[in-house]
């Protein structure tokens, strides 16, 4: 029996392996393998503060992705199907401090941090920031 490869491709989960580089206080540049599955990402969940983002992801049986997972989504191209017409910053689960959490740009993969209470669509100074939410399984 000859297998229909087009159907097999539809059924098989696409797995992209990505090497991301990260620095920490304890270690210098270290490679970490992160496995990103296209089917593991939720649809766009809106713009909200970090606390609401975590709660939203939990309420749909998922979690807020780490900054490393978001960078891997950018690097692997998984994010290319995401709507990035406006801003393309997404909250990450990791905290920079008690008051700040990381977010990742889907425009260039850069990671930065901002106040966790920042509502995703407020004007901050002269810049209007839109920090979006996608959940990960």
């Amino acid at each position: 029996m000859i297998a229909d490869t087009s159907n097999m491709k539809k059924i098989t989960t696409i797995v992209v392996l990505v090497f991301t580089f990260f620095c920490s206080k304890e270690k210098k540049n270290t490679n970490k393998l992160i496995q990103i599955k296209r089917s593991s990402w939720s649809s766009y969940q809106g713009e909200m503060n970090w606390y609401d983002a975590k709660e939203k992801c939990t309420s749909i049986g998922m979690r807020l992705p780490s900054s490393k997972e978001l960078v891997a989504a950018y690097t692997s191209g998984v994010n290319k199907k995401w709507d990035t017409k406006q801003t393309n910053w997404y909250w990450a689960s990791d905290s920079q401090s008690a008051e700040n959490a990381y977010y990742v740009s889907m425009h260039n993969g850069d990671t930065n941090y901002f106040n966790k209470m920042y509502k995703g669509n407020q004007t901050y100074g002269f810049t209007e920031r839109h920090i979006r939410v996608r959940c990960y399984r």
Side-chain angles (χ1 to χ4, degrees), residues 22-82:
F22 64 95
C23 294
S24 70
K25 292 180 182 175
E26 297 80 32
K27 299 177 183 177
K28 292 191 177 179
N29 289 330
T30 306
N31 292 338
K32 182 171 181 170
L33 185 64
I34 295 186
Q35 185 179 38
I36 298 296
K37 296 178 183 178
R38 291 183 194 270
S39 61
S40 297
W41 293 94
S42 73
S43 59
Y44 171 65
Q45 298 298 309
E47 298 170 357
M48 60 196 79
N49 72 45
W50 184 81
Y51 297 103
D52 291 343
K54 287 189 72 141
E55 187 176 310
K56 176 66 174 177
C57 290
T58 300
S59 75
I60 62 171
M62 299 179 89
R63 63 177 172 79
L64 203 57
S66 70
S67 57
K68 291 179 184 92
E69 289 165 334
L70 284 165
V71 169
Y74 167 78
T75 305
S76 69
V78 166
N79 70 313
K80 293 202 187 293
K81 300 227 182 227
W82 300 357

